Amino acid sequence: MEEVDVIFPPHLWHTSTCTEQCTVMIQVEPHDASVLDFHGASGAVGRFEADDSGVTMDLKGFQYSGIIHPGPTAMVLSMHPMQSTSISNSNGGPVLKVESITDEFVTLTKSRDMMATLDAVVEKGDMDE
């Protein structure tokens, strides 16, 4: 049986407040999942707002709304190759780093297509080619 080291960053031990970062799992309808492909994306990919009435997220030109629900505890891990120099491993195998832990999830439904609001309609005249 192969052993795997798991590393817990120090910020995860101070879970009383979410001053630096918080993680929430997102659930979307299957037909919306292909639209929300973030493969190769970096930096900010959307906007998140929360208030007493719920959550609003703007992602890739679509606006989604939902409510935060309590859920099962989930741990998000990243795998680092065993030759990594920044993370040492005692057994020579792969290293798992805990990126975040959450116990909340949001079921999002599409509430607005911002890109469709930018569609132009010619009401009179001719379109130049």
Side-chain angles (χ1 to χ4, degrees), residues 99-112:
E99 298 293 340
S100 63
I101 298 174
T102 185
D103 60 356
E104 299 172 323
F105 74 97
V106 177
T107 302
L108 294 176
T109 56
K110 190 185 298 182
S111 56
R112 193 169 178 193

Side-chain angles (χ1 to χ4, degrees), residues 60-77:
K60 296 179 80 173
F62 297 98
Q63 195 171 70
Y64 297 87
S65 300
I67 298 173
I68 297 177
H69 302 282
T73 301
M75 185 181 304
V76 179
L77 302 164

Side-chain angles (χ1 to χ4, degrees), residues 2 9 25 31-32 34 40 56-57 74 91 93-94 99 101 116-117 120 128:
E2 185 177 335
M25 301 289 275
H31 60 273
D32 291 331
S34 62
T56 302
M57 295 184 79
N91 61 30
E99 298 293 340
I101 298 174
T117 62
D128 294 334

Side-chain angles (χ1 to χ4, degrees), residues 5-51:
D5 287 349
V6 178
I7 298 172
F8 284 86
H11 71 85
L12 289 178
W13 298 116
H14 306 289
T15 58
S16 60
T17 61
C18 281
T19 57
E20 292 183 27
Q21 69 180 36
C22 294
T23 302
V24 63
M25 301 289 275
I26 302 295
Q27 177 182 1
V28 296
E29 294 293 327
H31 60 273
D32 291 331
S34 62
V35 174
L36 298 175
D37 180 13
F38 296 108
H39 182 75
S42 63
V45 293
R47 187 174 57 111
F48 177 87
E49 293 180 4
D51 58 23

Side-chain angles (χ1 to χ4, degrees), residues 71-86:
T73 301
M75 185 181 304
V76 179
L77 302 164
S78 62
M79 183 178 245
H80 297 270
M82 55 187 144
Q83 59 264 39
S84 173
T85 56
S86 62

